[in-house]
Structures are given as structure tokens and as C-alpha cells.
């Protein structure tokens, strides 16, 4: 798949960034700790580092991680400014430090977080979340409902460039607040019941809104604490308030020391008192040295860079999971030449090419009602292959009254591979102008609809087909291409409201078939990455979360 190469290049770019920070010489962590240490040496780009790895004890877990975040600010987890772009690769670490109203468990399911329960009104336009009693931050101060409002309004600040902002465009006046057209008090967020309940009023019925709220970015933020620190917030352990099961005790060079948050509401069920995380190593030889260290309990590696045969100890592969972000190109249907589905279909056929492995828009690894969704939809409608694509394009242009296809402006990420320009010219006679932009600017251009065709992606973690298909509902905040089909909207609405899984499956299959027929986007498949857990005997409950592939560390413990 061509997109696999894009992912690979992206990873190499990230790795090069971390390598460029190295300086010639030797770096050593503080050796005054009382634990017994095992020294690990890694060499990257000629730079030598030494790590002191704490002895593995019954209540301490030592983990090797690919990435460590640049800052520890929950609202910036998915921010696309260059200084924060790597944070999302450490989403599993953020999950240990922060918690929102709801969260995703080790099985990829939505479960209560700091809210003990929630409900919605009949038409799914108001969602009410009730906080647990006695919630506290790591410093012992109370967590209040207004802290969630502070966090949500901060994400709606246009200075933060995050895909999560678009979720909050579903909230009444959320988009207008982002655009500076209304005040904070006009946004559909109410604080009720003596600051123990938060109510969100939406602009349209959204039966899956609780799934969308399962993001670390929506964790509470104490205005008084944040306001005093400003730009220093999240840059040091003492400059962060933690709402999750762990706090940062100290930060070293490529080392992060976590301790259990004694004020976390579920602290008694967190088994490990300490988690030591060593990061920034990535190739097979680095992992071989690390994995064979006496102090390391586990590591997660990318299978593309690692061979189990290299290990010469008792560390075992216990889990392997393939997942990835879904990549696609949005057609701006307000552009006359792209308003015809036949034109879009012809372009899709060329842009996707051999990367088009599956039917429709929902990735092939997603299931519903115990069955593969993509296979269900394909079985309903048959093959997605069409007649001669040039004839298809010409038919579409004739229907539009256009004699010649105009030059198309296509925006892609600066590190993406242009694998379609030459083929669009060769097979369809279409000239294109490709503009490479930063991830930050890609999001902004999408929101402004400043494009003919633009690259987009859906990040890891969605397990329900509706969270993919809802992107093409007429009034969806993610419908950057302004696609509109009343029947499609109706089907997604039914799927979001019904409690009958058979009805939901049926209408989502029908919606997928409409997508396949009308092509509001060119589907490119997904950048697949396989993660592998390597762990020593006796490690329990260390898992990769289905659909997202992030490491779930909350339940990890050791056999006694």
C-alpha cells in the first residue's frame, strides 16, 4: 500500500527529530537512588547515552516506550503545532495522567471516568454528565464541573489546532465561540447541582456523543491553577494537575518516573505504585539491548523494526495488533466540477489505485454485530469496480455542462507522498496543482473549505462504523467537503438513535452503499502499523487496546 510508505516516512521523520536532539558525549541519569541499577547504553547517530534502569520490584513496572511527550498538557495531546506534534504518539502515557468524563477501557469500550453516570434527552440534543462524589486533583483540591467547562472552552480557542476541536462544534455556539462571534456564556455548557453536573446542549441529535467525549483532551482544567502558570503549564511535573491514576514524579533525559496518584478516585485498584518509562529508542538493535536488560519488564515495538529471533532471554511476545489511521481525500462538492458523483468516482479510482483494498469508507478491520462491516456492505451491493474511468469522467462532465476539467488544487501534508498527480494526467487528462502544508494548516484549510481536494485522516481508536460514516452527514463538523444527501442523513440519524443492533447494522450498511455510489471522498485505505508487546513472565493485564492499538497500562500488575 502506498499509504504504508507514507506512514513509514512520517515515522522516520519523527525518529530523525529525536535523533537530532542528541549531542556527542555521555549522558548519565542521577546515580544516587537507592535501587539497584542496570546500565543500558544506546547509540544513535554517533551519540552515546547511559540509562540507569531501576530494579524491577513487585510494585514497580519498568517499560520501554517509543515516544515521550514534549509536554504534559492534556488539552494539547492532539495539537498540531510543531512543538506538540509528537504528543499523540504517547497517548497511552497521557491516559495514565488524566481522565475525562468518560474513557476507553482495555477492550475499546466506553466506560465511566470522572462521571459516574450520564444520560441524554429523548432527541439526543442534551447530554448530562454527573460527577463522582469527592473527586480530587493530585494536589488534593476538588475537581468541579466548571473545570470541564474550562477545558472545553480552551480547546475551542483557535490558538489550539486540534481535530478534537471539531467535536465541540456540535455544542451549541461552539463554532461561533471558536470564530470569536459569541462569548463563553453563550456556549451550550451549563453547570448544575452545586458544581457536580455538566450539561452539554448540541446543535443536532447525536446519539453517539458520549463516544466522542472519550478523549483525554476533555479532562478537567482548573482555571485558577492554569491561569497563574500560563505558558509554563504542563512543562514541568509541578506545573501540572493530574486527574488520572498517576502523577509525574520526575523527568530525566529520555526517562519518565510516574507514581500512583493517591487522590485518584479509584487509586485502591491501581496495582503498581511506580511506573518507570524509558523512551526515544526505536530500531531493532536498541530494543534488543533494552529488552535483554535485567530491569525492563516490558516493551512495545513496531514489528516492522524488530525481529523476535534477536532476543536471547525469557522475554516473550504476548500480543500483536495491527491498526492504523484511515487516510482519505475530501472532495469539495461546492466546486462545480466535483459536484458530480461520476467525476468523483473516476478521480477516486485513479487516486486510490491499488491501495483501494476495501469496499466503502469504513476500514476493513471494523466489525458490527459480530460481523465484518466492509464485507457486509460489499455483499449488499456487489463490486465497486466500474466501467472505463475516462468514459465515466466524460459522462459526469457532460451532465455538468463542462467541456474540460479545470486544474484541481490538491492540498496534502508536507510529508505525504504524491502518488496520484502523474496518474490523474495520464488516465484522465486532469492537471493538478499540489500544495504541501503543515498538519496545522491542513486542519485550518479543511475548516475554511479552502481547497478542491484535501488530504484528511481519522486517528486511531474508533470501533463503531458510525463514527466513520457520520463525517459525511450534511451538518457534521467533519463534513469539510459540504457533501449532502438527505437519505444518507436519515440513515445515520436512525443508526444514532436506535437501540436495536440489527436495525443499526442494516441502516449503516445502506449508508455505506450510498457513500460507495457517490464518493464524497477518495478512500486511500489506512496506514497499517503492527505493534507487538514483549514482556517477561509474570506480567499481567498489559494490553493493546483494540482498534486503536495504544498500550493500556492502568491494570498492569505482577504475579506474586
Amino acid at each position: 500500500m502506498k499509504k504504508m510508505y507514507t506512514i513509514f516516512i512520517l515515522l522516520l521523520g519523527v525518529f530523525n527529530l529525536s535523533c537530532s536532539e542528541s549531542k556527542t558525549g555521555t549522558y548519565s541519569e542521577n546515580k544516587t537512588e537507592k535501587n539497584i541499577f542496570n546500565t543500558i547504553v544506546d547509540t544513535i547517530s554517533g551519540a552515546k547515552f547511559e540509562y540507569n534502569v531501576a530494579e524491577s520490584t513487585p510494585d514497580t513496572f519498568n517499560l520501554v516506550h517509543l515516544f515521550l511527550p514534549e509536554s504534559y498538557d492534556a488539552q494539547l495531546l492532539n495539537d498540531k503545532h510543531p512543538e506538540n506534534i509528537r504528543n499523540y504518539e504517547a497517548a497511552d502515557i497521557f491516559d495514565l495522567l488524566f481522565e475525562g468524563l468518560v474513557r476507553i477501557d482495555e477492550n475499546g469500550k466506553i466506560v465511566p471516568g470522572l462521571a459516574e453516570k450520564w444520560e441524554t434527552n429523548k432527541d439526543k440534543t442534551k447530554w448530562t454528565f454527573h460527577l463522582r462524589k469527592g473527586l480530587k486533583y493530585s494536589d488534593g483540591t476538588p475537581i468541579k464541573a466548571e473545570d470541564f467547562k474550562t477545558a472545553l472552552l480552551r480547546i475551542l480557542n483557535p490558538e489550539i489546532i486540534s481535530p478534537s476541536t471539531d467535536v465541540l462544534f456540535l455544542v451549541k455556539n461552539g463554532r461561533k465561540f471558536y470564530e470569536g462571534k459569541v462569548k463563553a456564556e453563550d456556549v451550550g455548557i451549563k453547570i448544575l447541582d452545586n458544581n457536580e453536573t455538566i450539561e452539554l446542549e448540541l446543535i443536532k441529535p447525536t446519539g453517539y456523543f458520549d463516544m466522542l467525549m472519550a478523549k483525554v483532551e476533555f479532562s478537567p482544567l482548573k482555571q485558577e491553577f492554569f491561569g497563574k502558570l500560563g505558558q509554563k503549564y504542563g512543562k514541568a511535573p509541578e506545573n501540572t494537575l493530574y486527574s488520572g491514576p498517576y502523577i509525574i514524579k520526575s523527568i530525566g533525559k529520555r526517562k519518565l518516573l510516574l507514581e500512583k496518584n493517591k487522590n485518584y478516585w479509584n487509586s485502591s485498584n491501581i496495582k503498581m505504585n511506580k511506573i518507570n518509562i524509558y523512551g526515544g529508542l526505536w530500531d531493532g538493535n536498541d530494543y534488543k539491548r533494552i529488552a535483554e536488560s535485567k530491569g525492563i519488564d516490558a516493551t512495545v515495538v513496531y514489528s516492522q523494526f524488530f525481529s523476535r529471533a534477536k532476543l536471547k532471554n525469557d522475554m516473550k511476545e504476548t500480543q500483536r495488533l495491527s491498526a492504523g489511521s484511515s487516510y482519505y481525500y475530501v472532495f469539495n462538492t461546492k466546486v462545480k466540477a466535483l459536484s458530480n458523483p461520476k467525476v468523483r468516482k473516476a478521480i477516486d479510482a485513479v487516486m486510490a489505485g491499488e491501495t483501494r483494498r476495501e469496499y466503502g469508507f469504513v476500514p476493513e478491520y471494523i466489525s458490527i454485530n459480530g460481523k465484518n462491516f466492509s464485507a457486509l456492505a460489499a455483499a449488499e451491493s456487489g463490486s465497486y469496480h466500474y466501467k472505463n474511468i475516462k468514459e465515466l469522467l466524460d459522462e459526469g462532465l457532460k451532465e455538468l455542462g463542462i467541456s474540460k476539467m479545470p486544474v484541481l488544487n490538491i492540498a496534502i501534508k508536507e510529508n505525504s507522498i504524491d502518488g496520484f498527480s502523474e496518474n490523474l494526467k495520464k488516465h484522465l487528462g486532469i492537471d493538478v496543482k499540489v500544495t504541501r502544508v503543515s498538519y496545522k494548516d491542513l486542519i485550518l484549510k479543511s475548516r475554511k473549505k479552502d481547497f478542491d481536494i484535501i488530504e484528511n485522516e481519522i486517528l486511531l481508536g474508533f470501533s463503531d462504523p458510525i463514527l466513520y460514516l457520520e463525517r459525511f452527514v450534511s451538518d457534521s463538523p467533519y463534513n469539510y467537503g459540504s457533501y449532502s444527501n438527505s437519505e444518507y442523513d436519515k440513515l445515520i440519524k436512525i443508526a444514532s438513535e436506535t437501540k436495536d443492533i440489527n436495525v443499526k447494522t442494516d441502516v449503516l450498511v445502506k449508508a455505506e452503499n450510498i457513500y460507495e455510489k457517490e464518493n464524497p471522498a477518495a478512500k486511500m485505505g489506512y496506514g497499517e502499523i503492527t505493534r507487538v508487546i514483549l514482556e517477561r513472565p509474570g506480567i499481567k493485564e498489559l494490553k493493546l487496546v483494540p482498534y486503536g492499538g495504544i498500550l493500556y497500562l492502568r491494570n498492569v500488575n505482577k504475579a506474586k
Side-chain angles (χ1 to χ4, degrees), residues 21-31 33 39-43 46-53 68 250-256 278-279 281:
E21 298 169 356
S22 303
K23 297 180 180 179
T24 303
T26 300
Y27 170 82
S28 298
E29 293 288 351
N30 188 333
K31 297 185 179 182
E33 297 180 37
T39 299
I40 297 174
V41 179
D42 71 289
T43 302
K48 184 178 180 182
F49 294 86
E50 293 182 1
Y51 289 99
N52 296 317
V53 178
L68 293 182
S250 65
I251 300 175
K253 187 71 173 182
R254 299 186 184 176
K255 178 181 177 181
L256 191 64
Y278 303 87
L281 309 177

Side-chain angles (χ1 to χ4, degrees), residues 16 23 146 360 427-428 430 432 478 493 503 539:
N16 287 334
K23 297 180 180 179
E146 65 186 18
H427 297 292
L428 297 178
I430 297 176
V432 302
Y478 290 103
K493 185 175 186 295
V503 171
I539 304 299

Side-chain angles (χ1 to χ4, degrees), residues 100-223:
L101 296 165
V102 296
R103 64 182 181 86
I104 298 175
D105 70 5
E106 67 272 26
N107 299 310
K109 305 296 184 183
I110 302 298
V111 296
L114 298 184
E116 64 178 351
K117 62 181 179 178
W118 62 94
E119 69 268 354
T120 183
N121 62 352
K122 187 174 181 180
D123 68 356
K124 307 294 192 300
T125 57
K126 286 186 179 180
W127 286 79
T128 307
F129 297 86
H130 305 273
L131 301 190
R132 299 176 187 276
K133 302 293 184 181
L135 291 175
K136 296 179 180 180
Y137 288 106
S138 52
D139 67 348
T141 57
I143 296 176
K144 301 177 181 179
E146 65 186 18
D147 299 341
F148 289 94
K149 181 175 182 177
T150 299
L152 300 183
L153 291 176
R154 185 185 177 209
I155 295 175
L156 282 169
N157 184 330
E159 292 183 2
I160 293 180
I161 311 298
S162 169
S164 298
T165 301
D166 298 71
V167 171
L168 300 181
F169 290 163
L170 290 169
V171 177
K172 180 183 176 182
N173 285 329
R175 186 185 291 273
K176 289 183 178 180
F177 180 77
Y178 168 82
E179 295 171 344
K181 297 178 180 179
V182 300
K183 297 179 180 180
E185 55 265 31
D186 299 319
V187 180
I189 305 174
K190 289 184 179 179
I191 306 304
L192 307 171
D193 302 333
N194 197 28
N195 228 329
E196 294 181 347
T197 300
I198 183 170
E199 178 188 275
L200 302 176
E201 182 179 356
L202 309 184
I203 59 174
K204 68 168 190 167
T206 310
Y208 45 86
F209 186 70
D210 52 348
M211 299 184 200
L212 299 176
M213 289 299 291
K215 294 177 178 289
V216 169
E217 296 98 303
F218 301 152
S219 300
L221 179 65
K222 187 176 180 180
Q223 178 59 49

Side-chain angles (χ1 to χ4, degrees), residues 336-352:
K336 184 177 180 180
L338 298 176
S339 64
N340 185 282
K342 292 180 181 178
V343 173
R344 299 194 298 265
K345 176 67 66 180
I347 295 174
D348 174 37
V350 173
M351 292 186 70

Side-chain angles (χ1 to χ4, degrees), residues 322-340:
S322 295
S325 301
S326 292
Y327 291 80
Y328 62 105
Y329 284 79
V330 178
F331 294 114
N332 188 342
T333 61
K334 295 298 183 181
V335 175
K336 184 177 180 180
L338 298 176
S339 64
N340 185 282

